[in-house]
Amino acid sequence: MQKQMRRWRLDRFGKQHLAMETVEIPRPGRGEILVRVAAVSLNYRDKMNIDSGSGGAHVNPPLTPASDMAGEVVAVGEEVSRFAGGERVISTFWGGWIDGAWPEHAVALGAPGPGMLAEYVVLHQDWAVAAPAALDDIQASTLPCAGLTAWTALIEHGHLHAGQTVVVQGTGGVALFGLQLAVAHGARTIVISGDDAKLERARALGATHGIHRLRQPEWQHAVRELTQGRGADHVLEMAGGDNLDRSLQALRQGGRVSLIGLLGEARVQAASPPLLLGRHVVQGIGVGHRRALEDLVRAADQLALAPVIDEQYGFAQLPQALDHLERGPFGKLVLRLDR
């Protein structure tokens, strides 16, 4: 095996300060695995961390960005029992969150935890899961954050089942995973977007209805009409701000809104009567634990789930990929590490 590797490093906030560097390949210690990275999936959080560190608490340069990767175990340290050389793995988003309630010692990968934008990474064996057999590395790399966030909202906590209605806001990575999972579970889906072309592509993925949010800014009324006045069972809330008010009005009595993104504002606000009278569940979603990711991997194999990849970039094309992330992809953007 070669002795050196490339990795991306950020010494100061700002995309212009990203630099590729060559360093020694690390060695796994006790309980650790060394993974040769094959693909790294980008999340909007990664862009926020690079720009200002606003993608999470205690984020400070220097750092290597990105939390989501797929690769192959090439070496193991002492007392490693979960993996062996040659096995394909994906990272968990939270290092140290195995199951149950979120522990305070858990660390998010990609800052402040180790970043995945490197040719080789060392992870504790508990911070990885076996990759789905049905997905290639590009597809598998999209599961740890975007895929698991949608799974946690709709399946782990939401107990989604056939016959329900799911409202998906936008057409980014989490949104399209939510759409695909809802379709796979027999739910009716309503996608909200400001782009006609993206709405058509969402319909091709199985969306039952599409609402153009620029032509129908009070889209909650359209959701009510499409559900014959009943309202939706689930809403994936991506925007924040006063958009939460619309999400609550779109829900049926006792429905669930999952707070996932704050793309509009870093706080949410809503009138209290819809919440009190509607008896809704408002659930904050901070990705999810390892056990749920393992459940998602099994589901991906069983359902032949095919994550939507908008575009692939070479490892050296991180700045271009971040520009695309700023424009808003349809699905996921992935950097491949060609050998």
Side-chain angles (χ1 to χ4, degrees), residues 19-268:
M20 183 91 73
E21 64 179 0
T22 299
V23 297
E24 294 293 315
I25 295 175
R27 294 183 179 182
R30 188 181 304 272
E32 295 178 334
I33 58 175
L34 176 65
V35 181
R36 181 168 58 213
V37 178
V40 176
S41 173
L42 294 181
N43 299 295
Y44 198 78
R45 171 183 179 267
D46 301 323
K47 180 187 178 305
M48 295 169 68
N49 279 337
I50 290 168
D51 288 345
S52 64
S54 59
H58 311 301
V59 175
N60 292 295
L63 60 89
T64 294
S67 58
D68 298 8
M69 73 88 195
E72 178 187 353
V73 178
V74 293
V76 300
E78 297 179 4
E79 299 182 8
V80 169
S81 58
R82 299 190 68 237
F83 301 103
E87 292 188 89
R88 294 175 61 233
V89 296
I90 59 176
S91 56
T92 60
F93 178 85
W94 286 105
W97 188 12
I98 307 302
D99 200 350
W102 179 79
E104 291 187 2
H105 66 265
V107 58
L109 273 60
M116 300 296 103
L117 276 170
E119 291 183 305
Y120 292 83
V121 296
V122 167
L123 291 174
H124 192 280
Q125 63 174 335
D126 290 338
W127 296 12
V129 305
L135 302 185
D136 62 26
D137 291 325
I138 296 292
Q139 296 169 317
S141 72
T142 67
L143 297 185
C145 183
L148 182 56
T149 296
W151 177 270
T152 300
L154 293 175
I155 312 301
E156 178 74 16
H157 294 315
H159 308 295
L160 176 69
H161 57 77
Q164 291 189 321
T165 298
V166 177
V167 173
V168 174
Q169 298 177 12
T171 54
V174 177
L176 292 190
F177 268 115
L179 168 61
Q180 290 180 294
L181 289 171
V183 171
H185 284 77
R188 181 166 61 168
T189 52
I190 302 173
V191 176
I192 300 167
S193 172
D195 187 310
D196 283 319
K198 289 181 176 179
L199 286 173
E200 284 303 313
R201 294 174 71 180
R203 291 188 183 95
L205 289 172
T208 314
H209 304 285
I211 299 173
H212 197 293
R213 62 177 175 80
L214 299 181
R215 291 195 290 267
Q216 293 181 282
E218 300 300 317
W219 52 265
Q220 69 274 23
H221 303 310
V223 171
R224 285 282 177 182
E225 292 175 4
L226 291 171
T227 57
Q228 293 76 50
R230 179 177 182 272
D233 299 276
H234 304 268
V235 174
L236 301 187
E237 168 60 56
M238 302 292 190
D242 62 3
N243 196 63
L244 175 61
D245 206 18
R246 300 182 184 89
S247 294
L248 292 173
Q249 293 178 48
L251 282 176
R252 68 163 174 82
Q253 185 170 129
R256 176 181 294 265
V257 57
S258 296
L259 298 177
I260 292 170
L262 297 174
L263 299 180
E265 298 180 43
R267 63 179 61 198
V268 292

Side-chain angles (χ1 to χ4, degrees), residues 8 15 18 313 315-324 335:
W8 282 99
K15 185 181 68 174
L18 281 166
Y313 289 88
F315 187 60
Q317 295 178 298
L318 176 60
Q320 295 93 313
L322 291 171
D323 288 342
H324 192 164
L335 276 69

